[in-house]
Amino acid sequence: MIDISESVMQFLLAFIVVAPLVGAAAALLPAPPGLRGSSPDQAVLRHGVTVTGAILLAAIVLALGFDHDQPSRMQATTDINWIAALDVRIHLGIDGISLPLLVLTALLTFLCALYSYFNMPAGPSPKAFVALLLVLESGTLATFAVLDLLLFFLAFEMVLIPMYFLIARWGGEARQPAAWKFILYTLLGSVVMLLGLLLIGLKAGTFDMVALATDNGRGLTTSVQVVAVLAIGLGLAVKTPMWPLHTWLPDAHTAAPTVGSVLLAGVLLKMGTYGFVRIVLPIAPDGMRTFAPYLAAFAAVGIVYGSLACLALARSGAGGDLKRLIAYSSVGHMGFVLLGIATMTPTGVNGALFANIAHGLITGLLFFLVGAVKDRYGTADLDTLAGATGAALYGRAPRLGGLLAFAAVASLGLPGLAGFWGEMLALFGAFDPADGLSRPAFLTFMSIGAFGTLLTAAYLLVVVRRVCMGGRLPEAVDEQRPEPVTDVRAYEFAAWSPLVALTVVAGLWPAILLGLTDPAVQKLLSGGKS
């Protein structure tokens, strides 16, 4: 790690949040003559790669300058008075909980910009595409960096419009209904969430998340906490998405372009679970304790429901879409995150935060791979890909097939890869939940979640067998070798290899994440005491 002054850290964090907005505005302007190159479209796509690359570099420097000996302390803080009448402040800062999510967001957005430079989705002008991508990045990064409830809400909402247009203008079939469903669900959830945030801020006399977390609910009555958790929790649950508020997700993923699906699964879903950890757990613990068993129950049902939906889509003759299947798998994986949060224990919450990062890496990779398969075969229909003349990736594109198999076994939680630790810690947390929660109930939820891991392994292995091995060729042409297709291209390798490497590193060395999150979680759950 490197020694960086606090003022430079403050600048880096502010740069990470603001620079994408400046880059988005610049993307809409004509390129200077010397930078246009042979194609204005390529120039603006190159601009997107440059801006997101600069933000990723700043995020890495910020992570290197972060004081890893004190991950529970808010660092790189900026605190400026904004709306004095409401005590709303421009308050930024990072700790061991938000830093990994900040770096993950910067990484995935850069990889999406790089992928789009070589494989721009069909649709209108790249100018608007790059500008929307950068606005989306700014809103997501701000969500993880702000420490004021109203700023959190503004950042939380900021991502909705860019994602709506990315789906509606650059998506595939049925993109308009999917985009409308996405925006309506999330906006309705956000309206309810705003009421809960206002209730907390007005009753406590401040919107400062650090002060509220330190107070640990002592300035709020139990009834206020219960109402606030119900309102805020509903808004966050829609974004997570929690069963049964998940129905917008499969449609949005199926219709979205590849990079839209990567960012939706890899980053946007994390905003909901981050809100539970950053706001609900420390600020309204009594209200959270009231709803924790219900949250755990919905999470457990979501784990099994998501896996059963995937099994139904994966079976032969079901006409399942591979992108839709991966979307339903997210419902199950995020169920483990919610189960870990519901235990209200350091073990469970650390597992939830680890599973968040693992899901972003693995599911981001899966959507990249499914997009590549769809580009090559013109479809994501599983029956077509598994037919006698289908994908058969091991024979036709062995590297692509190998990567898909790797992502699948990582997603099912194979020990030694990132997907294992988060789910295991969430189940351990459910084995011994926080005081005041029913242990028999959580043991039941733990058992349901463990059963869900078996179902997850089942559907992912079915997918690998059908897509990578393919169907049997008719007897008359049994000796014919399937025609090869383009294997992994150089730009695809560049976009995917960081996700593969980090999945392995996080699986073999979980302390790289848990060493950051655990002290911060301990402080959060103990009312601001380190």
Side-chain angles (χ1 to χ4, degrees), residues 173-251:
E173 296 178 9
R175 58 182 183 267
Q176 290 290 350
W180 274 112
K181 198 171 184 180
F182 163 76
I183 200 79
L184 288 175
Y185 263 76
T186 48
L187 275 177
L188 286 172
S190 297
V191 169
V192 179
M193 184 177 77
L194 177 60
L195 297 176
L197 295 174
L198 289 173
L199 177 64
I200 284 178
L202 296 174
K203 289 290 185 181
T206 180
F207 290 97
D208 186 88
M209 289 158 67
V210 176
L212 288 165
T214 304
D215 188 60
N216 203 223
R218 287 182 285 270
L220 301 170
T221 64
T222 301
S223 58
V224 167
Q225 289 189 38
V226 168
V227 173
V229 169
L230 179 61
I232 297 169
L234 279 172
L236 297 174
V238 170
K239 184 66 74 74
T240 296
M242 180 186 78
W243 180 91
L245 304 173
H246 69 283
T247 54
W248 61 270
L249 183 74
D251 292 341

Side-chain angles (χ1 to χ4, degrees), residues 139-164:
T140 314
L141 291 168
T143 302
F144 300 135
V146 298
L147 297 172
D148 183 277
L149 289 179
L150 291 186
L151 276 186
F152 175 86
F153 175 77
L154 293 176
F156 197 85
E157 292 300 282
M158 186 175 164
V159 304
L160 301 186
I161 300 303
M163 183 53 73
Y164 166 80

Side-chain angles (χ1 to χ4, degrees), residues 67-223:
D67 185 354
H68 290 252
D69 293 329
Q70 299 184 68
S72 62
R73 180 175 65 84
M74 279 296 169
Q75 301 180 34
T77 53
T78 299
D79 193 0
I80 303 169
N81 193 17
W82 185 33
I83 305 174
L86 293 175
D87 192 29
V88 178
R89 310 180 70 81
I90 298 176
H91 192 181
L92 304 176
I94 52 166
D95 64 357
I97 292 171
S98 51
L99 179 63
L101 290 165
L102 207 73
V103 176
L104 176 69
T105 301
L107 173 66
L108 284 177
T109 312
F110 169 70
L111 297 181
C112 285
L114 180 66
Y115 187 85
S116 300
Y117 178 79
F118 295 97
N119 189 4
M120 172 70 193
S125 160
K127 278 191 172 188
F129 177 84
V130 170
L132 290 168
L133 195 69
L134 291 171
V135 172
L136 182 71
E137 179 180 30
S138 180
T140 314
L141 291 168
T143 302
F144 300 135
V146 298
L147 297 172
D148 183 277
L149 289 179
L150 291 186
L151 276 186
F152 175 86
F153 175 77
L154 293 176
F156 197 85
E157 292 300 282
M158 186 175 164
V159 304
L160 301 186
I161 300 303
M163 183 53 73
Y164 166 80
F165 280 111
L166 285 174
I167 296 170
R169 303 302 298 276
W170 287 270
E173 296 178 9
R175 58 182 183 267
Q176 290 290 350
W180 274 112
K181 198 171 184 180
F182 163 76
I183 200 79
L184 288 175
Y185 263 76
T186 48
L187 275 177
L188 286 172
S190 297
V191 169
V192 179
M193 184 177 77
L194 177 60
L195 297 176
L197 295 174
L198 289 173
L199 177 64
I200 284 178
L202 296 174
K203 289 290 185 181
T206 180
F207 290 97
D208 186 88
M209 289 158 67
V210 176
L212 288 165
T214 304
D215 188 60
N216 203 223
R218 287 182 285 270
L220 301 170
T221 64
T222 301
S223 58

Side-chain angles (χ1 to χ4, degrees), residues 451-473:
F451 176 64
T453 61
L454 299 178
L455 295 176
T456 302
Y459 73 73
L460 285 167
L461 292 175
V462 168
V463 167
V464 170
R465 178 179 60 80
R466 298 190 72 204
V467 177
C468 294
M469 298 178 186
R472 181 175 170 79
L473 291 169

Side-chain angles (χ1 to χ4, degrees), residues 25 57 201 390 492:
L57 183 62
E492 292 173 332

Side-chain angles (χ1 to χ4, degrees), residues 239-298:
K239 184 66 74 74
T240 296
M242 180 186 78
W243 180 91
L245 304 173
H246 69 283
T247 54
W248 61 270
L249 183 74
D251 292 341
H253 269 310
T254 306
T258 296
V259 294
S261 292
V262 170
L263 292 174
L264 186 57
V267 176
L268 264 67
L269 304 190
K270 312 301 173 281
M271 293 164 63
T273 50
Y274 174 78
F276 275 107
V277 175
R278 177 65 74 198
I279 297 173
V280 178
L281 271 177
I283 294 175
D286 294 336
M288 180 63 186
R289 196 168 285 106
T290 301
F291 286 106
Y294 303 102
L295 180 63
F298 283 124

